[in-house]
């Protein structure tokens, strides 16, 4: 599959200069000038290498996946491993497809702050752009909320273990961690910062190792019983896997910041390999030791008597969660700031502050309304992440891809990806909504 994309990447391509000057009848067409490589062709490139872009992908969604995958695997049984691998294969393919889509249109938007919506516009006009904006915005906001909740849970448990009190409530911790997130979002480095990506990935690896050590030291549950998998639990787990291997909404932003965007397919494959290496061991360990008692957040299964280990893990998870929320939040903020014309080079401009403060306030409201990150994972995974990862890239590829000798094979892969996304979206969304209703009806 990667070979097919590389072959197409090397071929000549004609693009429109500006979406503002483009003829609406030419949506999806590449028969205008200039030709790539000509004296009139110019496109800005970033500073990221292939490994750097892979680290951004890993840091984006991996932390929540590490904490939620043990329960997802346990509640889906051994078939969950097959489901996980299927998600990896299809998500990798659509990641490559999305990369190719951006290569088709990037020369039209050399200073674009919203590359994924630009792909939608080039393929299907305003309707395609709106579809992407809705899916990407909801996905990234949902991801930020999940990470704020994870950080808040970690802070609340840290206070309980360290001071033996729960006087600082969980909802208060949500507000505290949201304020920290806001400060990082305003004053921290933006999407081009390698420090954020490297730290988020390194912290993910560290706390994965520590969690596995904690599970082993806690020992097998005395009342251990295998979980009885049901259709509902299986589909809820499916939604969590979709969330854990999602993140495509920010992929074009990462690719846009690369020195050589043609290397992004390698970044996608490397990132998913790293994710598998992190998810499989912790998922197997949680399933083997806790069975039906495994919690939605695996940290809650580690014995409180392992105080030093717990404190270290909780601090690492909280820091990593804020960094991952920043990686997810920046593309949303950048997109909105692009709409309202906020200056890029003014850190404390009132428009920039208004966007980012409003974004964090919205995140607080969502976190207070749905104070469980596993519910957000399942719901967002089955809806907007599913659309942005498995459906839209392939739909756009139908319109943007070259009709060469590989066309029939590309159509086949794209069709299978769309069918996979539609089926997964229906069952996972239904199961997630039903589960949320059950949870709230039970108090």
């Amino acid at each position: 599959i990667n070979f097919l994309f590389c072959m197409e990447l090397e071929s000549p391509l004609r693009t429109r200069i500006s979406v503002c000057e483009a003829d609406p009848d030419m949506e999806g067409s590449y028969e205008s000038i200039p030709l790539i490589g000509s004296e009139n062709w110019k496109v800005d490139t970033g500073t990221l290498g292939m490994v750097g872009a892979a680290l951004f992908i890993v840091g984006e969604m991996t932390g929540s996946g590490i904490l939620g995958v043990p329960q997802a695997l346990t509640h889906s049984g051994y078939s969950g491993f097959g489901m996980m691998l299927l998600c990896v294969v299809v998500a990798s393919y659509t990641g490559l497809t999305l990369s190719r889509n951006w290569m088709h249109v990037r020369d039209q938007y050399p200073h674009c702050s919203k590359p994924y919506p630009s792909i939608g516009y080039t393929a299907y006009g305003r309707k395609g752009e709106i579809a992407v904006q809705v899916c990407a915005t909801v996905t990234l906001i949902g991801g930020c909320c999940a990470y704020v909740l994870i950080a808040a849970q970690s802070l609340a448990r840290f206070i309980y273990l360290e001071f033996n009190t729960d006087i600082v409530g969980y909802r208060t911790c949500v507000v505290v961690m949201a304020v920290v997130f806001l400060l990082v979002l305003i004053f921290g480095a933006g999407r081009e910062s390698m420090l954020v990506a490297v730290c988020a990935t390194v912290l993910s690896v560290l706390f994965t190792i520590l969690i596995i050590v904690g599970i082993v030291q806690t020992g097998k549950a005395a009342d251990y019983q295998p979980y009885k998998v049901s259709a509902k639990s299986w589909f809820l787990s499916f939604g969590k896997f979709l969330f854990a291997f999602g993140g495509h909404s920010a992929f074009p932003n990462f690719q846009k910041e690369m020195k050589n965007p043609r290397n992004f397919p390698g970044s996608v494959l490397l990132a998913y390999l790293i994710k598998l290496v992190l998810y499989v061991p912790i998922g197997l360990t949680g399933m083997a030791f806790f069975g039906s008692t495994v919690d939605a957040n695996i940290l809650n299964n580690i014995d409180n008597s392992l105080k030093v280990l717990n404190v270290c893990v909780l601090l690492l998870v909280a820091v990593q969660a804020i960094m991952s929320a920043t990686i997810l939040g920046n593309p949303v903020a950048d997109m909105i700031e692009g709409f309202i014309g906020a200056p890029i080079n003014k850190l404390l401009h009132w428009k920039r502050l208004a966007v980012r403060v409003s974004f964090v306030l919205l995140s607080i409201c969502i976190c207070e309304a749905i104070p469980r990150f596993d519910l957000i994972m399942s719901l967002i995974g089955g809806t907007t992440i599913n659309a942005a990862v498995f459906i839209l890239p392939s739909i756009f590829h139908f319109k943007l891809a070259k009709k060469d000798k590989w066309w029939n094979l590309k159509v086949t892969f794209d069709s299978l990806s769309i069918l996979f996304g539609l089926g997964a979206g229906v069952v996972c969304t239904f199961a997630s909504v039903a589960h949320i209703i059950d949870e709230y009806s039970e108090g």
Side-chain angles (χ1 to χ4, degrees), residues 73-106:
L73 278 176
T74 302
H75 287 192
S76 57
Y78 291 106
S79 63
F81 289 98
M83 185 189 350
M84 180 189 292
L85 292 176
L86 182 60
C87 288
V88 170
V89 171
V90 182
S92 297
Y93 172 76
T94 56
L96 302 181
T97 301
L98 191 57
S99 170
R100 184 66 198 114
N101 290 342
W102 173 241
M103 292 301 296
H104 275 306
V105 304
R106 69 174 183 139

Side-chain angles (χ1 to χ4, degrees), residues 184-230:
V184 177
L185 196 63
I186 292 175
F187 297 103
R191 64 183 180 275
E192 72 281 5
S193 173
M194 274 299 300
L195 179 61
V196 174
V198 171
C199 288
T201 303
V202 170
L203 291 176
S204 296
V205 173
L206 287 177
F207 74 67
T208 299
I209 295 172
L210 290 177
I211 289 173
I212 293 175
V213 171
I215 293 173
V216 173
Q217 290 187 355
T218 299
K220 198 166 187 177
D223 56 346
Y224 175 87
Q225 288 185 349
Y227 186 83
K228 295 181 180 179
V229 179
S230 64

Side-chain angles (χ1 to χ4, degrees), residues 51 114 297 339:
V51 175
K114 47 189 181 73
N297 185 343
F339 279 128

Side-chain angles (χ1 to χ4, degrees), residues 2 49-59 62 88 91-93 95-96 194 201 245 251 258 263-278:
N2 198 22
M50 186 182 75
V51 175
L55 294 179
F56 268 95
I57 297 173
V58 173
T62 305
V88 170
S92 297
Y93 172 76
L96 302 181
M194 274 299 300
T201 303
F245 291 106
F251 279 15
M258 293 183 71
N263 289 335
F264 192 70
S267 301
V268 173
L269 298 177
L270 176 60
Y272 279 119
L273 177 61
I274 295 173
K275 286 190 175 190
L276 274 178
V277 170
L278 294 175

